[in-house]
Amino acid sequence: MPVEDALFALWTRPPDLLDDPITRFGELYTEPVRINGTPMSLDDLVARARGLHTAFTEHDIELVDRIESPRKLAIAFRHRARHSGPWQTPLGELAPTGRIVTGLGIDLLTFTEHRISSIWVLADELQRMIQVKLA
């Protein structure tokens, strides 16, 4: 199974539906994993996943493109989900709207011993916030 399929499967399910979310995230990520240069624990990743699933349901992730080299993988993807719960954003909390929003993400993954040890993330959060507020 390509690693992006495992990632998408992990992030599209609420972590609390997993038997042991920390272990499941640890199968794909090192501890800590660096995200945009900041070290994050597996607990931090699970908390991020909980926040994502608090704000959004009906997740669908479509791979747009991928480029692979030794120890690196770049993936571009579209994430589509329904805004069904409170969404904590840098601009404050957005109340649920029930709207379907889409956003483009690009992740540059670095692997150490077959697990993700570093990620540079570019996500179009502003576009998703505009969809929630103006749609």
Side-chain angles (χ1 to χ4, degrees), residues 10-18 49-50 53 59:
L10 185 63
W11 284 92
T12 55
R13 290 184 61 198
D16 294 323
L17 294 181
L18 303 171
R50 281 189 183 109
H53 287 277
H59 298 269

Side-chain angles (χ1 to χ4, degrees), residues 4 9 18 42 46 48 57 69 73 95 122 127 130:
E4 62 269 21
L18 303 171
L42 294 175
V46 171
R48 275 186 151 192
T57 56
S69 69
L73 174 65
L122 179 61
Q127 180 60 33
I130 290 169

Side-chain angles (χ1 to χ4, degrees), residues 30 71 110-118:
T30 61
R71 294 192 58 230
T110 301
F111 292 86
T112 302
E113 298 180 7
H114 307 291
R115 289 185 301 152
I116 300 163
S117 56
S118 176

Side-chain angles (χ1 to χ4, degrees), residues 22 37 41 44 49 52 64-65 75 78-79 93 98-100 103 105 112 121-123:
I22 299 296
S41 70
D44 293 334
L52 175 70
V64 175
D65 203 355
I75 55 174
R78 287 192 200 293
H79 179 211
E93 183 178 292
R99 295 185 177 114
I100 298 287
T112 302
V121 176
L122 179 61

Side-chain angles (χ1 to χ4, degrees), residues 56 78-83 87 94-95 97-104 124-135:
F56 297 97
R78 287 192 200 293
H79 179 211
R80 180 180 182 273
R82 183 176 303 280
H83 179 219
W87 181 16
L94 297 177
T97 63
R99 295 185 177 114
I100 298 287
V101 297
T102 61
L104 182 64
D124 194 357
E125 292 300 295
L126 180 58
Q127 180 60 33
R128 291 198 309 174
M129 285 188 269
I130 290 169
Q131 291 174 50
V132 164
K133 293 299 277 181
L134 300 179

Side-chain angles (χ1 to χ4, degrees), residues 21-37:
I22 299 296
T23 299
R24 288 293 305 279
F25 275 77
E27 292 169 357
L28 293 175
Y29 297 94
T30 61
E31 179 155 23
V33 60
R34 297 183 76 76
I35 299 179
N36 292 347

